[in-house]
Amino acid sequence: LVDRSVRDPLAPFAMHSYKSYFVTTDRGAALGYHARLGIAVVSGDPIGDPDLFPVLVAGFREHCRSRGWRIMVLAASEGRRGLWPELWAVPIGRDVVIDVAGFEMVGRRFRNLRQAVSRTRNAGVTTEVIAEADVTEPLRGELREIAAHAHGGPSDRGFSMILDHPLDGRCPGMLLAIARDADGVVQGFQRYGVA
């Protein structure tokens, strides 16, 4: 269903293990949520066939009503706001989309970015992007060591726009951007979900 969700950069985050799923009877669409303290927190837009979303949401409303849960939707897109007309919309951010083929770091507004790129290049920093599924065991050990020291150690970080189970290959379509110093030692990495 994640792969069938077009133009939805948050679709991969439906795979977070904290989420429960409400699915249409034909299994063509689903939404991820977590119920706590009488509130069902829906995370992101539904995934799968958009033609099934109204039926999915109506069924989910009934599911929640029968359990006495209130509904909250976190990180719904502007285009899917109509699925939840009874809820108030509070904007919390926007996706950033870059046309890589047409992107140029020219002009005054990109001056700081050009300087940062030059500093890292001059220091011998290199980057590579690889599929998380292709990480070797030695590299996985290096990356886990870095992750253990990041942000004060491992912790639960987020629900809506972050995935758990890093580096174990559980989530398909994940990419890693890995930065190495001039000696080839990994200095940091970032994890991306393909949407």
Side-chain angles (χ1 to χ4, degrees):
L1 292 178
V2 170
D3 289 343
R4 287 190 264 160
S5 300
V6 293
R7 302 179 58 90
D8 183 357
L10 299 184
F13 301 112
M15 295 182 286
H16 195 291
S17 67
Y18 281 3
K19 295 179 183 172
S20 298
Y21 302 97
F22 189 82
V23 183
T24 55
T25 54
D26 65 356
R27 304 177 66 79
L31 56 79
Y33 72 96
H34 185 77
R36 188 165 176 102
L37 303 172
I39 299 173
V41 180
V42 176
S43 175
D45 290 334
I47 56 174
D49 182 352
D51 292 336
L52 298 174
F53 291 175
V55 172
L56 173 72
V57 170
F60 183 70
R61 276 193 192 96
E62 184 54 41
H63 175 75
C64 293
R65 194 174 300 119
S66 70
R67 286 159 176 74
W69 297 342
R70 298 180 71 186
I71 298 173
M72 180 182 131
V73 181
L74 182 62
S77 70
E78 185 77 25
R80 300 286 181 219
R81 211 167 85 187
L83 291 171
W84 311 99
E86 73 281 11
L87 301 180
W88 292 351
V90 178
I92 58 170
R94 300 239 180 236
D95 296 326
V96 175
V97 178
I98 297 174
D99 175 8
V100 176
F103 180 74
E104 295 179 0
M105 294 189 300
V106 295
R108 183 167 177 77
R109 69 184 227 186
F110 291 111
R111 182 172 177 254
N112 290 344
L113 179 59
R114 284 193 307 274
Q115 289 174 343
V117 169
S118 293
R119 281 193 303 273
T120 56
R121 196 174 282 149
N122 292 340
V125 174
T126 59
T127 58
E128 66 177 328
V129 178
I130 62 172
E132 186 177 73
D134 296 339
V135 172
T136 63
E137 281 307 313
L139 178 56
R140 189 180 324 277
E142 279 185 83
L143 298 177
R144 283 195 170 133
E145 183 69 24
I146 289 170
H149 291 94
H151 304 291
S155 64
D156 290 336
R157 298 175 26 237
F159 165 73
S160 183
M161 292 176 269
I162 196 165
L163 283 175
D164 52 353
H165 295 281
L167 306 171
D168 68 5
R170 177 180 180 266
C171 299
M174 300 305 293
L175 299 175
L176 299 176
I178 302 171
R180 298 176 185 273
D181 65 15
D183 297 323
V185 178
V186 176
Q187 296 298 310
F189 71 98
Q190 291 181 326
R191 186 177 186 221
Y192 295 92
V194 176

